[in-house]
Amino acid sequence: MRILSEQELLRRKALEELKTMGINAYPSATFPVDTYSIDIHDRYAAFEGKEVTLAGRLMGKRIMGSASFAELQDAKGRIQVYLRRDDVCPGEDKAFYNVFFKKLLDIGDHIGVVGVVFKTQLGEISVHVSKLVLLAKSVKPLPVAKEVEKEDGTKEVYDAFTDAEQRYRQRYVDLIVNPQVRETFRKRTLLVQAMRDFLNKRGYLEVETPILQPLYGGAAARPFKTHHNTLDMTLYLRIANELYLKRLIVGGFDAVYEFSKDFRNEGMSRFHNPEFTQMELYVAYKDYAWMMDLVEEMVETVALALHGKTQVQVGNHVIDFKRPWKRISMYGAIEEAAGQPVAHLDEQGLREVCAAKNVEVDDTFGRAKLIDALFGELVEPHLIQPTFITDYPVEMSPLAKRKADQPELVERFEAICNGKEICNAFSELNDPMDQRARFEEQLELGRRGDVEAMVLDEDFLRAIEYGMPPTAGLGIGIDRLAMIMTNQPSIQEVLFFPQMRPEALETASVGVDYAAVGVPDAWLGVLSTMPYTSIEEFKGANPNRIFNDLGGLRKKHKIEAPVPTVEQIKSWQAAA
RNA sequence: GAACUCUUAGCUCAGUCGGUAGAGCACAACACUUUUAAUGUUGGGGUCCUGGGUUCGAGCCCCAGAGGGUUCACCA
């Protein structure tokens, strides 16, 4: 275990003092909250002079003799509370104010207050407290950020808790002290709700399909693999749910959707987390052109729900989601960027264009990959405003239907926004013969070493052999959309708990019973703060080092007892 | 996986030429009955990420490692 900091020791001591005062630091009774801080701010006139009951975290204390101000932070905001000694201690005994409030109550503690709403001389809306109770003690100091309101009404934050590693590892702290982080996650939830409402209003059915799948499919990605003991079989965490939702379309539902956590065992970056969220939607009797209209309308609705307008500030750009969005074919977009026609070019011709435009390619690239490289390099990063790119080469899209007049292309589109794909959709391939042939091509890619090639799913093929109606399908990346809609540069900012390498957490020295080896009581406390997690570790430690450390800890913790001799320490180690 | 970069008090950060560490907030003590980053005075608080090396001497220089960030690779 880590040696406790000065402030942590003080708070533990405060716990003891609370006990001697007869105050339970962790009471179990409910506390009858009837008001949020934001309600009082929003409707001051209605609350003025009324008694309210609030609960929240103490986030600041300003003590001025026998009167004090404090900041109370609840789930919806903050409000100042005003406390007078003689209000909370009407009798002779002033300990509640002088000791409990002034000394034992710390920033971070959960408290409940009852008081009357009023405005201070300086106009700050406050609660004049008549009763204050401790609801839960905090024994670990919070990072303290100071916020000052400037004359123009804008707020400036000093010493904010900003270290990315700590913010992600201890998101709970991030959420306590950074209100804009709470707001980002609230917006993410609103986004999902807006989409769900939009789809439900159209009568689409929200469904759930397996996360553990015997075969993974529906996307090109490497899966996470696991094992089921009872069935003694390999299972994969889904990389997509496409093939299951299409089975439901075969089954007769004409519109199904699912918000799904998907898992891909691939690189991590500011745009990639191993688990992420997609919304997939399948609608029978529709095609990709119809789906473009739906996507435009849905995303526009989301923007309005979150911002009240269609324009959204994203980095240095203002992105406008107002319908209609630009639509351009993949070839058209490349031709626009390259300044020359490419649709008719063969592999060699495309290579020359890549060379002329300094697009890096590989000898193994076929025609489709060359197109993809040109698009990824010349077009995609420059598409800031939402744009539909349509008609992809068939090789890149094994689950999409061919265009009737151009069978080397498929009826597919992606929406690109802020230089990144936010959704992918197509007219679903429902020709079981063609689907089997496409799977065979994927198998061949797999045999040639493509680790992301799709596997053949016989049951899925059997399903569409029964006949799948013409269907439009959509996958929309919720994390990426949330990043754009909340103006966040990294996926970690829109995931509560982004994936991290394990933290080297210092563990308690539970393995060593120091009392049993003859350590006197006075030294048990500090020894247990030393970093030995096992008897072996303690026995193997340098006794001189322990001697020195105990000397230091003695001073630090003001221990009266004499420092044990090195000989004594050796005897403890021998007894261990 | 690669390159670059960061890691110093609870938080945000300084740290000069290599001479065993500083500030603000937070914390402790005292004063203070409407404050607004409350204020004033005083004080305590450090595994300088870890492990090696160079050196009389390392927060600083060198090597290795851990973790974070960014970019790239990968990635619908």
Side-chain angles (χ1 to χ4, degrees):
Chain A
M1 190 171 114
R2 170 182 64 82
I3 292 172
L4 293 173
S5 73
E6 184 190 29
Q7 292 188 43
E8 287 171 296
L9 290 168
L10 280 163
R11 291 201 180 191
R12 279 165 170 73
K13 229 170 97 188
L15 274 183
E16 294 306 310
E17 289 179 43
L18 285 169
K19 205 174 280 175
T20 65
M21 289 182 79
I23 295 174
N24 184 353
Y26 302 98
S28 63
T30 60
F31 187 78
V33 177
D34 62 17
T35 311
Y36 283 116
S37 59
I38 195 175
D39 299 332
I40 299 172
H41 286 297
D42 286 353
R43 306 200 312 276
Y44 175 71
F47 278 99
E48 184 171 22
K50 296 250 169 63
E51 188 177 86
V52 292
T53 303
L54 299 163
R57 218 181 257 278
L58 181 71
M59 294 302 282
K61 252 195 327 188
R62 296 182 284 277
I63 295 170
M64 285 156 304
S66 59
S68 295
F69 291 93
E71 293 289 326
L72 182 73
Q73 174 172 305
D74 64 16
K76 306 242 173 127
R78 280 193 185 190
I79 191 159
Q80 173 168 276
V81 297
Y82 174 60
L83 206 78
R84 273 198 319 207
R85 184 189 62 199
D86 296 339
D87 295 336
V88 292
C89 301
E92 285 300 302
D93 182 5
K94 305 298 185 189
F96 183 82
Y97 181 81
N98 288 335
V99 180
F100 169 70
F101 177 75
K102 281 170 72 173
K103 300 197 188 302
L104 302 181
L105 209 54
D106 292 301
I107 290 177
D109 290 352
H110 290 277
I111 57 171
V113 299
V114 178
V116 173
V117 174
F118 78 112
K119 245 183 207 175
T120 64
Q121 287 175 0
L122 287 160
E124 179 79 15
I125 293 171
S126 308
V127 175
H128 189 148
V129 173
S130 54
K131 186 182 164 203
L132 181 149
V133 294
L134 178 61
L135 297 177
K137 182 80 189 147
S138 162
V139 294
K140 210 168 163 59
L142 285 172
V144 273
K146 287 288 173 172
E147 190 182 83
V148 65
E149 200 165 336
K150 298 201 296 194
E151 283 158 25
D152 58 6
T154 59
K155 286 181 177 173
E156 192 167 343
V157 177
Y158 296 80
D159 302 334
F161 180 59
T162 52
D163 182 85
E165 178 173 6
Q166 294 197 75
R167 287 185 45 234
Y168 302 152
R169 286 199 196 282
Q170 301 183 49
R171 181 69 87 186
Y172 35 89
V173 176
D174 192 27
L175 290 165
I176 293 166
V177 302
N178 289 323
Q180 75 283 8
V181 173
R182 288 197 296 275
E183 182 55 22
T184 296
F185 285 102
R186 203 184 61 85
K187 279 213 170 78
R188 182 185 167 123
T189 295
L190 279 180
L191 181 157
V192 171
Q193 287 173 346
M195 284 177 67
R196 190 169 267 134
D197 285 350
F198 178 93
L199 297 168
N200 288 345
K201 272 187 196 139
R202 281 161 179 71
Y204 301 165
L205 188 70
E206 183 168 15
V207 298
E208 292 180 285
T209 63
I211 292 171
L212 287 172
Q213 303 180 345
L215 288 172
Y216 57 96
R222 295 159 75 176
F224 286 91
K225 194 175 170 180
T226 186
H227 183 263
H228 188 266
N229 290 338
T230 299
L231 296 176
D232 189 23
M233 69 182 288
T234 295
L235 286 169
Y236 301 92
L237 273 66
R238 69 179 169 202
I239 58 173
N241 52 359
E242 170 154 357
L243 303 185
Y244 282 94
L245 291 178
K246 285 187 194 169
R247 284 171 168 97
L248 298 181
I249 295 290
V250 170
F253 293 111
D254 61 359
V256 290
Y257 73 94
E258 178 174 17
F259 283 90
S260 68
K261 265 285 181 76
D262 291 346
F263 306 84
R264 297 187 184 178
N265 204 341
E266 287 165 346
M268 290 165 63
S269 80
R270 153 172 112 76
F271 296 100
H272 300 86
N273 195 67
E275 60 179 284
F276 64 102
T277 305
Q278 277 202 96
M279 195 283 291
E280 291 197 36
L281 165 70
Y282 293 83
V283 185
Y285 317 119
K286 307 296 184 193
D287 70 357
Y288 79 136
W290 175 89
M291 187 64 90
M292 272 186 260
D293 295 341
L294 179 129
V295 168
E296 278 177 344
E297 193 181 347
M298 181 166 65
V299 176
E300 187 190 68
T301 302
V302 165
L304 287 167
L306 267 58
H307 300 283
K309 56 184 182 180
T310 57
Q311 297 86 10
V312 179
Q313 181 80 38
V314 182
N316 297 322
H317 303 288
V318 173
I319 294 181
D320 193 343
F321 290 97
K322 184 152 187 59
R323 290 178 285 165
W325 301 353
K326 186 181 175 187
R327 300 182 185 192
I328 185 168
S329 74
M330 174 161 263
Y331 283 139
I334 294 172
E335 286 173 7
E336 218 170 72
Q340 65 176 97
V342 293
H344 64 286
L345 291 177
D346 60 7
E347 193 176 313
Q348 189 50 40
L350 287 170
R351 272 183 201 288
E352 284 161 18
V353 178
C354 288
K357 293 288 169 192
N358 289 321
V359 174
E360 256 184 68
V361 292
D362 193 287
D363 286 345
T364 65
F365 282 19
R367 200 166 174 281
K369 275 207 137 184
L370 291 167
I371 295 278
D372 195 35
L374 280 170
F375 179 77
E377 201 66 38
L378 300 180
V379 182
E380 193 173 39
H382 305 110
L383 293 178
I384 303 302
Q385 297 303 323
T387 304
F388 288 117
I389 301 294
T390 64
D391 303 342
Y392 285 65
V394 66
E395 298 92 324
M396 299 162 63
S397 318
L399 301 167
K401 182 177 274 190
R402 291 176 200 268
K403 280 178 80 80
D405 53 343
Q406 291 171 283
E408 76 284 6
L409 297 179
V410 291
E411 294 190 358
R412 168 178 171 183
F413 72 85
E414 291 190 358
I416 313 289
C417 180
N418 204 34
K420 280 275 166 190
E421 172 204 338
I422 55 170
C423 79
N424 180 20
F426 28 86
S427 303
E428 299 297 332
L429 177 56
N430 62 344
D431 174 341
M433 306 307 158
D434 192 5
Q435 183 66 81
R436 181 173 291 277
R438 306 266 199 101
F439 273 140
E440 299 286 356
E441 282 166 29
Q442 290 289 315
L443 285 183
E444 182 52 32
L445 287 177
R447 277 193 285 273
R448 294 213 311 251
D450 185 344
V451 290
E452 285 157 5
M454 288 186 191
V455 294
L456 191 149
D457 187 333
E458 277 294 350
D459 177 71
F460 171 69
L461 281 170
R462 176 169 64 190
I464 64 171
E465 281 169 3
Y466 281 106
M468 181 169 80
T471 300
L474 166 75
I476 183 161
I478 298 300
D479 313 286
R480 297 266 179 96
L481 187 61
M483 283 168 66
I484 290 171
M485 289 293 177
T486 60
N487 190 16
Q488 293 298 333
S490 140
I491 197 168
Q492 291 156 305
E493 296 293 344
V494 298
L495 298 170
F496 275 127
F497 303 105
Q499 195 56 242
M500 303 280 274
R501 281 201 162 84
E503 179 183 14
L505 262 184
E506 292 130 314
T507 50
S509 53
V510 287
V512 188
D513 182 352
Y514 291 111
V517 301
V519 177
D521 290 350
W523 292 99
L524 287 175
V526 292
L527 256 178
S528 67
T529 69
M530 290 177 70
Y532 307 114
T533 55
S534 69
I535 290 177
E536 290 68 34
E537 220 177 302
F538 176 65
K539 279 175 91 88
N542 181 344
N544 292 307
R545 167 102 193 250
I546 298 178
F547 176 75
N548 284 334
D549 286 351
L550 288 181
L553 290 166
R554 179 173 187 262
K555 187 179 168 209
K556 180 172 174 150
H557 296 267
K558 300 188 173 67
I559 292 169
E560 301 286 334
V563 182
T565 63
V566 175
E567 290 311 312
Q568 277 176 298
I569 292 167
K570 282 181 181 165
S571 78
W572 300 342
Q573 288 179 304

